[in-house]
Amino acid sequence: TRMSARPCVWVLGGPGSGKGTQCSLLKSLYSYGHLSTGDLLRSEVLAGSERWVRLFETIRAGELAPDDEVIALLAAAMEEQPEAAGFLFDGFPANMAQAKLCEEKLGSPAKVVVLEVADSVMVDRLKDGINFNDTDETIKKRIQTFSEETQPMIRAYSGVASKVNADRTAEEVFADLKNILNS
């Protein structure tokens, strides 16, 4: 598999593991583009095309958007950021099919980092968070989707993935991530 022209770091972890926070911190430090498929999809939805409104319903139900749509969206977003030294993929790929497609279309990841946190901690954090799709039912569904879809993919990449205990302060997690990205 080819590497992307610019390094891509897959930042993985369950809902509420702090991916967004860490990506924001890393983004400023490394001049990387922060690509969150959730945010990209939401801005498409706000632009209001029919296709995206349909996708929004899927996401609101706590399910994953179609892989090829998401990859196309990421590829477009990467092209729109010529100044970025590399990219942080926030929570993507989320399953084996996406990982294969991602490597095929966008190149192999330079690094894969996994923010590890217990399900109970995710639930507490998501309950505190304010998000358009977080009801108790959806929170359970999102964690279930993570366990069933994302965990097997993380296991498949365990040879290259660096795991970080994310049940700590953002600063402590960030310090670990910097070491991993600098290595």
Side-chain angles (χ1 to χ4, degrees):
T1 49
R2 61 192 183 80
M3 287 295 271
S4 143
R6 292 177 281 177
C8 293
V9 178
W10 296 358
V11 182
L12 309 174
S17 59
K19 298 184 296 291
T21 305
Q22 294 303 326
C23 284
S24 300
L25 294 168
L26 293 167
K27 175 190 170 166
S28 338
L29 185 65
Y30 293 98
S31 309
Y32 273 31
H34 170 198
L35 300 178
S36 153
T37 54
D39 292 348
L40 289 171
L41 288 162
R42 275 191 284 275
S43 56
E44 289 286 332
V45 168
L46 293 174
S49 70
E50 247 173 74
R51 169 173 142 205
W52 294 108
V53 172
R54 214 174 41 246
L55 273 180
F56 174 72
E57 292 304 323
T58 307
I59 297 159
R60 204 166 55 183
E63 289 168 28
L64 299 171
D67 301 340
D68 51 346
E69 305 260 19
V70 178
I71 296 270
L73 205 53
L74 279 172
M78 287 165 80
E79 276 173 26
E80 281 163 22
Q81 299 187 36
E83 73 296 338
F87 295 97
L88 302 158
F89 287 6
D90 178 346
F92 190 86
N95 60 30
M96 262 332 283
Q98 289 181 350
K100 282 200 176 72
L101 204 59
C102 199
E103 292 220 32
E104 227 167 83
K105 306 270 190 223
L106 305 174
S108 299
K111 303 260 188 228
V112 178
V113 295
V114 182
L115 303 181
E116 294 199 309
V117 57
D119 287 5
S120 57
V121 177
M122 288 192 236
V123 171
D124 291 344
R125 287 183 180 179
L126 291 168
K127 284 201 167 121
D128 293 341
I130 292 144
N131 201 326
F132 79 91
N133 62 358
D134 288 342
T135 60
D136 282 0
E137 205 39 52
T138 319
I139 288 173
K140 279 200 199 80
K141 174 78 176 145
R142 286 174 68 198
I143 291 174
Q144 187 187 345
T145 301
F146 175 73
S147 307
E148 292 172 4
E149 303 248 353
T150 313
Q151 287 286 20
M153 190 266 298
I154 289 173
R155 282 193 291 277
Y157 281 85
S158 60
V160 293
S162 305
K163 297 187 169 171
V164 174
N165 168 14
D167 191 9
R168 297 177 298 161
T169 67
E171 292 73 31
E172 290 171 303
V173 176
F174 182 47
D176 277 3
L177 289 176
K178 278 190 293 199
N179 289 336
I180 293 165
L181 263 63
N182 291 339
S183 67

